[in-house]
Amino acid sequence: MPQDYEASLCQPTTLVPAPTPAPSNSSCSSNTEAQHLAVVGIMFVAQTLLGVGSVPIQPFGISYIDDFAHNSNSPLYLGILFAVTMMGPGMAYGLGGLMLRLYVDIDRMPEGGIRLTSKDPRWVGAWWLGFLISAAAVALAAIPYFFFPKEMPKEKHELRFRRRVLAASASTVSKGEDSPSEKSLGASQEKHDGLAQIAPDLTVIQFIKVFPRVLLRTLRHPIFLLVVLSQVCTSSMVAGMATFLPKFLERQFSVTASYANLLIGSLTIPSAIMGIVLGGVLVKRLHLGPMRCGILCLLGALSCLLLTLPLFFMGCPTHQIAGITPQPGDLPGPELFPACSEPCSCPLDDFNPVCDPRAHVEYLTPCQAGCTSQVAQEALDKSQVFYTNCSCVAGGGPVSAGSCDSACSHLVLPFMFLVSLGAALASLTHTPSFMLILRGVKKEDKTLAVGIQFMLLRVLAWMPSPVIHGSAIDTTCVHWAQSCGRRAVCRYYDHNLLRNRFVGLQFFFKTGSLACFALILAILRQQVKEEGTQVTVSTSGPQQQLLASGPGKKPEESSV
């Protein structure tokens, strides 16, 4: 509002009104803090309901598809499921970019609007509007789930294949008596199918008794454990990127929040979707077994890691901020005019940044720049505010309202191109790594294994990763705002330190994922060698037994 701009001007001490004591119902009162905690509690409940609601799609939907799809089609279907799942965040970033262009209080705007622009650090967009639109869409999308059957028939060509196998085995059995080996194979298959059928029919008490044993058996599976750890590293990287990449782009390249969200939604998310679909197609078309799936995951993780290295050098240091960052060289600034703002009685907690475009120096308020008047230039779509008669600025100004633009804003598109390409290569490993789990665990444990996997991803990646990234970003702050005598929001960051720590965390998690896939490949190679040795020993065993038993005797066990 106009009075807000006038309040931050340089005013002599004699003209400044005496400070009034804060009333009991101010923003620092305990009642207001209790209201804030209540709002946070509502957000926690909403996130819990979101987690419960996503279970029928992932993980149960993954096992549902793999159970009733043909084995060769399952990777493609899962790739499509993961890709469509990624479309949601992409559309949400685009929707968020549009919503953040609107001011947060769209229902309480004054006549003539406000003079804040979306590039102003004090701008808050209508973040709440996207939740209403998304919640309505989720409610509509949930309706078709009521009409899905409990069990679906297998795909037709799989049924025809099974009929041919059963017919061939029946004709073989009809030619002679069943051997003991065939009986044992049939018994084991019957037992396996019986376990698969009994598992869903367990009561809650029986499930609780069986769960620890199944959990230990699943966690002791080396391939399962390493795949989950690799996905924990990848999910930690994704969680940190999804949470803080818009903030990083805003600070590092001086772009608006809406533009940062649109960049992520239009570049990074579609690249990740293409990577997921391509991974599913490669597994299906090339008929990749566990060994080749491991090689594909290793190559994808290695390429993604290499693409992270240039990101360390794509940025520039923080521009000069009067009274906060040291002045490089002999640039004009407040040091040329000592004590220029002392007569102004500037409030310490005020924040209304202005920029001297000639010297590229930023001041926290027009008061700290010594400005005594302001001019508003009206344009067709927005109004620009300038401050004049500034005693701390060479030539007296004018200075423009808002922060100074970054000197490396032209690097935002190359930066996003490398991030998007890395996201595509990391997503390439998504479907092959899931196939390593689905083909590695027992059939009756499959649903539980995928559920355990998602639980571990939530607990080990999606919960701690944003906290780790946020703590690392907070350590790069050079100026904190104060609220109620406590540290509040960070106003300015050390851009070089911010870039190195944010990209460094990404590099760390990508290295962990690469190490896990390397161990998976080593274990798979060892298993292949052991299986080859067992087959060689088993094939030579029955021949030696036939020679030793003589022509009139039959071996008791003659099948591998």
Side-chain angles (χ1 to χ4, degrees):
M1 298 292 291
Q3 58 265 30
D4 296 324
Y5 287 97
E6 294 172 4
S8 60
L9 292 175
C10 175
Q11 301 177 9
T13 310
T14 55
L15 300 178
V16 176
T20 56
S24 59
N25 59 349
S26 66
S27 59
C28 297
S29 65
S30 58
N31 184 35
T32 305
E33 289 190 7
Q35 290 178 353
H36 291 171
L37 289 176
V39 172
V40 173
I42 293 173
M43 295 292 286
F44 282 173
V45 172
Q47 291 287 350
T48 304
L49 292 174
L50 274 177
V52 173
S54 66
V55 169
I57 305 170
Q58 293 184 17
F60 289 167
I62 297 171
S63 180
Y64 191 82
I65 290 174
D66 193 58
D67 283 340
F68 301 113
H70 190 275
N71 286 340
S72 62
N73 289 337
S74 182
L76 179 62
Y77 294 157
L78 290 178
I80 293 173
L81 172 65
F82 296 138
V84 173
T85 304
M86 286 293 293
M87 287 174 61
M91 295 169 63
Y93 273 115
L95 179 65
L98 296 175
M99 297 298 106
L100 291 177
R101 291 182 179 181
L102 305 173
Y103 194 61
V104 61
D105 292 324
I106 59 175
D107 56 336
R108 294 191 294 272
M109 290 289 285
E111 276 188 44
I114 57 174
R115 288 179 178 173
L116 279 182
T117 63
S118 57
K119 293 194 71 172
D120 195 294
R122 295 167 296 170
W123 178 272
V124 179
W127 58 270
W128 52 271
L129 197 54
F131 282 99
L132 301 182
I133 299 172
S134 300
V138 167
L140 292 175
I143 294 174
Y145 282 91
F146 289 103
F147 304 99
F148 274 84
K150 185 177 181 181
E151 292 186 0
M152 286 199 299
K154 274 278 190 180
E155 290 188 310
K156 292 182 180 178
H157 49 288
E158 166 118 346
L159 289 174
R160 286 198 297 269
F161 173 75
R162 287 192 172 185
R163 289 194 190 102
R164 285 200 301 268
V165 172
L166 289 173
S169 61
S171 62
T172 305
V173 170
S174 63
K175 292 179 181 178
E177 295 181 356
D178 292 347
S179 64
S181 61
E182 290 169 339
K183 291 179 180 177
S184 62
L185 282 173
S188 62
Q189 184 65 33
E190 184 179 347
K191 182 180 179 182
H192 183 275
D193 292 342
L195 283 172
Q197 292 171 0
I198 291 171
D201 298 328
L202 291 175
T203 63
V204 176
I205 303 299
Q206 291 171 333
F207 175 78
I208 292 174
K209 291 180 179 178
V210 172
F211 178 75
R213 189 166 66 250
V214 177
L215 177 64
L216 286 176
R217 183 173 65 200
T218 305
L219 291 178
R220 287 171 61 187
H221 196 292
I223 300 296
F224 172 82
L225 193 58
L226 285 171
V227 169
V228 169
L229 288 177
S230 70
Q231 291 186 345
V232 164
C233 293
T234 305
S235 297
S236 299
M237 174 195 71
V238 173
M241 190 77 77
T243 309
F244 292 107
L245 183 58
K247 182 186 183 74
F248 178 84
L249 296 178
E250 288 177 54
R251 297 292 182 169
Q252 194 73 43
F253 303 109
S254 295
V255 298
T256 63
S258 60
Y259 184 61
N261 281 343
L262 287 175
L263 280 178
I264 297 171
S266 59
L267 292 177
T268 308
I269 303 296
S271 301
I273 292 172
M274 290 174 58
I276 291 174
V277 173
L278 182 60
V281 170
L282 288 176
V283 174
K284 173 179 169 58
R285 291 295 181 187
L286 302 180
H287 304 287
L288 300 183
M291 177 67 75
R292 292 185 177 179
C293 281
I295 294 174
L296 180 61
C297 292
L298 185 68
L299 292 176
L302 179 61
S303 304
C304 180
L305 182 67
L306 295 177
L307 284 174
T308 309
L309 295 176
L311 301 182
F312 283 102
F313 309 100
M314 300 181 70
C316 51
T318 308
H319 57 268
Q320 187 188 355
I321 303 163
I324 295 177
T325 57
Q327 181 183 1
D330 295 326
L331 294 177
E335 283 77 6
L336 295 180
F337 309 97
C340 58
S341 62
E342 279 187 6
C344 298
S345 301
C346 301
L348 297 177
D349 57 348
D350 197 9
F351 184 66
N352 179 17
V354 293
C355 178
D356 180 6
R358 291 171 295 179
H360 205 65
V361 177
E362 185 170 329
Y363 300 86
L364 292 179
T365 61
C367 182
Q368 293 195 7
C371 303
T372 58
S373 59
Q374 58 106 5
V375 178
Q377 291 184 355
E378 300 293 336
L380 293 176
D381 55 343
K382 61 181 180 179
S383 62
Q384 179 67 47
V385 178
F386 292 94
Y387 295 91
T388 56
N389 299 328
C390 305
S391 59
C392 298
V393 179
V399 295
S400 58
S403 295
C404 297
D405 289 334
S406 173
C408 54
S409 56
H410 61 283
L411 294 176
V412 63
L413 289 179
F415 184 92
M416 287 304 299
F417 173 76
L418 288 178
V419 168
S420 302
L421 191 57
L425 292 170
S427 302
L428 193 68
T429 67
H430 199 68
T431 303
S433 61
F434 262 97
M435 298 313 298
L436 286 173
I437 290 178
L438 295 175
R439 298 290 177 263
V441 299
K442 294 183 178 181
K443 184 177 179 181
E444 63 268 22
D445 296 345
K446 188 163 51 179
T447 302
L448 193 59
V450 178
I452 292 170
Q453 175 198 10
F454 272 79
M455 179 191 71
L456 293 175
L457 289 181
R458 297 292 193 275
V459 173
L460 300 180
W462 290 97
M463 285 174 61
S465 177
V467 179
I468 294 171
H469 280 80
S471 300
I473 289 173
D474 280 349
T475 60
T476 67
C477 184
V478 294
H479 178 68
W480 290 94
Q482 299 293 320
S483 177
C484 303
R486 291 180 295 183
R487 194 175 74 176
V489 67
C490 179
R491 298 295 190 193
Y492 297 103
Y493 293 91
D494 183 335
H495 287 180
N496 284 337
L497 202 57
L498 172 65
R499 183 176 64 257
N500 290 334
R501 293 192 177 174
F502 182 74
V503 178
L505 277 174
Q506 301 289 306
F507 188 86
F508 171 77
F509 287 123
K510 290 175 183 178
T511 304
S513 178
L514 179 66
C516 289
F517 283 129
L519 289 174
I520 289 170
L521 199 59
I523 292 174
L524 288 173
R525 284 184 175 177
Q526 185 65 28
Q527 288 179 352
V528 169
K529 287 182 182 179
E530 291 176 356
E531 288 175 1
T533 305
Q534 290 176 359
V535 168
T536 304
V537 172
S538 301
T539 51
S540 61
Q543 294 175 359
Q544 295 173 357
Q545 193 174 2
L546 280 170
L547 292 172
S549 60
K553 296 181 180 179
K554 289 185 178 180
E556 294 181 1
E557 187 68 46
S558 60
S559 66
V560 179

